[in-house]
């Protein structure tokens, strides 16, 4: 697991100190962390491994490793066909229309 902290947070904190709004920013970041911890707990329960935990000026983000033996996540839009393998290894193709 990698933890990255965006250094632009320092600039944002200085701005919030100057405008005397640091408590509001701290509260926002607290709720963002609580929200992302929900994603983290859910991902761990589902068996995913954490790949990246990022702290950014506007919140927190988490990325997970995916078990590509069972499925592969791809970008798709409405009308596209998505192909994946189920647990038995059978190839399944679905049309999203």
């Amino acid at each position: 697991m990698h933890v990255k902290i965006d250094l632009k947070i320092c600039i944002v904190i200085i701005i919030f100190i100057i405008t005397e709004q640091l408590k509001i920013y701290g509260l926002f970041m607290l709720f963002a962390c609580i929200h992302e911890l929900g994603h983290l707990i859910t991902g761990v329960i589902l068996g995913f491994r954490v790949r990246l935990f990022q702290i950014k000026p506007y919140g927190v983000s988490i990325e997970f490793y995916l078990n590509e033996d069972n499925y592969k996540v791809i970008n798709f839009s409405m009308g596209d066909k998505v192909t994946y393998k189920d647990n038995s290894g059978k190839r399944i193709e679905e049309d999203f229309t």
Side-chain angles (χ1 to χ4, degrees), residues 77-95:
S77 39
M78 296 304 286
D80 289 347
K81 291 184 178 181
V82 176
T83 304
Y84 61 94
K85 293 181 182 178
D86 65 5
N87 290 336
S88 66
K90 180 181 174 186
R91 186 180 171 103
I92 298 173
E93 185 172 302
E94 290 188 24
D95 188 10

Side-chain angles (χ1 to χ4, degrees), residues 8 14 52 65 88 90:
K8 288 179 241 161
I14 290 170
L52 179 64
Y65 286 110
S88 66
K90 180 181 174 186

Side-chain angles (χ1 to χ4, degrees), residues 3-5 9 25-41 53-62:
V3 177
K4 289 187 179 180
I5 300 176
I9 288 178
Y25 182 67
L27 191 62
F28 169 77
M29 290 299 285
L30 174 69
F31 284 120
C33 288
I34 291 171
H35 174 86
E36 287 302 321
L37 284 175
H39 292 289
L40 177 67
I41 291 168
F53 186 84
Q54 281 185 309
I55 301 173
K56 301 176 182 180
Y58 48 85
V60 181
S61 76
I62 298 175

